[in-house]
Structures are given as C-alpha cells and as structure tokens.
Amino acid sequence: MSKWEEKQVRPVLPLYLAALAWPVASLIFPPYTLTNLAVVAVCSAAVYLAGRVLCPTRVVRTWVPYATGSEDVDALLNGIDKNLDELHALNDAIPDQVLSESMDIMEAAGRKIVKTVEKDPEKARQIDRFARYYLPEVIKLMRIYIELEENGASDQIVEELRRNSVTTANAFENQLDVLYSEEVMDASTDIEVLDSILKSQNLTK
C-alpha cells in the first residue's frame, strides 16, 4: 500500500564552511607550529559545529505510491500506472467510439490488476508480460492511430485497429480473471465440500 517515506538529509553547507575556515584561519595563524595548527583545526571544527546548529538535519517526506516490500514489484506497478495514465490521455484524444470503449475496458481492467497485485505481490510474476509488452504495445498502436487520423487514416487500418482493440480489451479482462483463478478454484472446492456436508446431514432438500 502507498505510504509517506521519511528520510533524514544532512546539509552539506557546514562541511563547506569548515573547509573554507581552514585556509582563512591559516592566514591568521600560519600552521608552521603545532600550536597554530591546533588552533586552525579548532577554528575549522568550531565553524563546522556552528554550521550544524544553523543548518540542522532535515526530514524529507516523499510520497511512495506503492510499498509492497519489493522494489521490483513497486517499479512494475509504477510503470503500469504511468502507461494507464497515458492510455487515458490517448483515449481522450480519440473520437472513435469503438476504440474509446475498448480503451475504457482496458484501463478499468488494468487498474484492477494493479490493485490486485498491490494486495498480493506474489501475483506480480503473472502479469510480467502484460506490463512489459501488451500494455506498451497498445499505447504504441493508439499513438500510431492518432498520427494516422491526423493525416487521413484509411478505413481498412481503422477497422483493423477496432478489431484489435476489442480483442485486446478481452485479453486484459482475461488477465484479471487469471489473477483470481486460484481463489475461484478454492471457492469452488469449499462450496462442494459444504454441499457434501449439508447433504450428508440431510440439511438440503
């Protein structure tokens, strides 16, 4: 699930001031003697400590969209999110009703896939091809369509894209169904077991 991530950031200004203080102090106390060298070092350290007081450590809060416990899964989900956002933007720019409806289905299925994997990161391996090939390929085709539309796309190409978009929309929904296949099988088994118990105890008609 998403969260705020806090990170402590130490300012670098105190280090720069301490480094600058060394040659300045050396002009006043030439470090030719051990005593002067010690004085220069103390001056530099004092400037550093003063800089730490004036520039304390800051806490930077960063919003992390996904925190599944796996950096690879988080990156995968972030990538899908960005592609789905682009798919949505492309959909707004496409007037064709068939394409638009198919893209609505793709986006809805994609968002549900992301939520499902976020809850159960172990399912991430099942959507690798969807995330790295199918979704980016859809975006590529829709970009091409918009470009062709602006330059007068042929009816044949539009019709092929329509058929492809319907097929792809169904594939996206099938991908979502696959993620729940284990749960569906478990539920079916539980129903059969319960039904058998009820029948054995003559509790069903």
Side-chain angles (χ1 to χ4, degrees):
M1 59 186 298
S2 57
K3 67 172 185 178
W4 284 101
E5 189 176 74
E6 295 187 351
K7 184 178 181 181
Q8 291 189 339
V9 179
R10 292 181 177 275
V12 295
L13 184 59
L15 291 175
Y16 292 148
L17 292 175
L20 181 62
W22 189 277
V24 172
S26 295
L27 294 175
I28 302 173
F29 305 99
Y32 301 136
T33 64
L34 189 59
T35 301
N36 282 2
L37 184 62
V39 171
V40 171
V42 169
C43 289
S44 180
V47 169
Y48 174 76
L49 293 175
R52 287 289 303 273
V53 173
L54 295 174
C55 303
T57 300
R58 295 182 298 114
V59 175
V60 177
R61 300 182 75 214
T62 305
W63 178 251
V64 181
Y66 299 104
T68 62
S70 168
E71 292 184 1
D72 290 339
V73 175
D74 293 345
L76 185 72
L77 296 181
N78 278 314
I80 295 175
D81 255 355
K82 290 179 180 178
N83 281 329
L84 289 174
D85 289 342
E86 184 172 357
L87 183 68
H88 185 90
L90 289 169
N91 194 359
D92 289 341
I94 291 178
D96 188 274
Q97 184 175 355
V98 174
L99 288 175
S100 184
E101 289 177 354
S102 294
M103 292 169 76
D104 283 339
I105 295 172
M106 293 179 208
E107 183 182 354
R111 302 289 184 193
K112 291 177 182 177
I113 287 171
V114 168
K115 288 183 178 179
T116 302
V117 175
E118 182 184 12
K119 292 178 181 177
D120 187 357
E122 291 295 324
K123 294 180 182 290
R125 62 182 182 276
Q126 300 179 44
I127 67 165
D128 186 74
R129 192 165 180 79
F130 161 80
R132 304 187 192 280
Y133 178 74
Y134 296 129
L135 182 55
E137 190 67 18
V138 167
I139 292 173
K140 176 183 174 182
L141 288 174
M142 293 310 165
R143 284 181 190 153
I144 293 174
Y145 168 77
I146 291 176
E147 184 178 347
L148 292 174
E149 182 69 20
E150 292 174 351
N151 296 297
S154 67
D155 292 338
Q156 180 181 354
I157 293 177
V158 173
E159 191 58 37
E160 288 178 359
L161 282 171
R162 284 174 178 168
R163 286 197 299 270
N164 177 268
S165 68
V166 172
T167 301
T168 305
N170 289 333
F172 277 34
E173 291 187 317
N174 290 338
Q175 176 69 76
L176 179 61
D177 290 339
V178 168
L179 293 179
Y180 285 102
S181 59
E182 293 182 3
E183 286 83 349
V184 171
M185 291 180 63
D186 290 342
S188 297
T189 301
D190 291 341
I191 292 172
E192 291 177 0
V193 171
L194 178 60
D195 188 54
S196 298
I197 293 174
L198 293 175
K199 286 180 179 178
S200 66
Q201 297 182 3
N202 296 321
L203 295 176
T204 60
K205 295 181 180 180

